[in-house]
Amino acid sequence: MVKHSVDPAAPDEPFLAFWRERHLCTLTTLRRDGTPHVVPVGVTYDPGTRLARVITSSTSAKAAHVRAAGPDGARVAVCQLDGRRWATLEGRARVRTEPERVAEAERRYAERYERTPRPNPSRVVIEIEVDRALGHG
């Protein structure tokens, strides 16, 4: 993976491999006043559906920022890095509460991070429809 724009629907194998490795990521959302809110998260990426997923509590600030953007969703970015390697996914995020979507996000999280997320009855998933991907490695 060299520094370049990546087709989010057809990323190259090194880019995909990097998103399968266990890395802490960041999620950037925007507050109502337009300032960035950046927090550490776990992220999974499915290029087949162009969805990145972040599990969180329904009461979290990140979920509130996404909901505040309205039904069209919020522009967000998730990023991970390892030394000089980095990858960013950008897109429109929406908070999803459907049990099957939350369960799928939990399954993918457990697979990537090799641990089952702790039980959380107020868990939701922030789904990001990825429309831009960048990376360097």
Side-chain angles (χ1 to χ4, degrees):
M1 179 172 64
V2 295
K3 185 175 182 181
H4 64 288
S5 218
V6 176
D7 178 353
D12 61 25
E13 184 52 37
F15 188 83
L16 280 178
F18 189 42
W19 279 102
R20 286 190 295 264
E21 294 173 12
R22 188 176 192 275
H23 294 287
L24 187 61
C25 304
T26 60
L27 168 67
T28 302
T29 58
L30 298 177
R31 298 179 182 98
R32 287 185 187 264
D33 66 3
T35 59
H37 177 256
V38 183
V39 293
V41 293
V43 176
T44 63
Y45 178 46
D46 176 7
T49 59
R50 291 189 358 186
L51 284 179
R53 295 173 175 92
V54 175
I55 57 175
T56 188
S57 177
S58 63
T59 59
S60 70
K62 55 189 158 287
H65 297 153
V66 171
R67 279 193 302 270
D72 289 339
R75 289 294 302 178
V76 303
V78 290
C79 183
Q80 67 180 14
L81 66 108
D82 180 35
R84 296 180 72 148
R85 296 186 305 158
W86 60 267
T88 299
L89 303 172
E90 299 176 19
R92 187 139 322 261
R94 291 174 182 82
V95 175
R96 304 303 298 251
T97 61
E98 300 91 334
E100 66 278 5
R101 288 184 178 272
V102 174
E104 178 65 9
E106 290 171 331
R107 183 192 69 75
R108 288 173 180 274
Y109 178 95
E111 183 178 285
R112 181 176 188 196
Y113 291 97
E114 300 175 342
R115 70 180 201 62
T116 302
R118 66 174 171 72
N120 179 352
S122 68
R123 179 167 289 131
V124 296
V125 57
I126 296 173
E127 288 185 347
I128 304 160
E129 294 174 4
V130 177
D131 58 23
R132 183 179 296 161
L134 304 164
H136 180 276

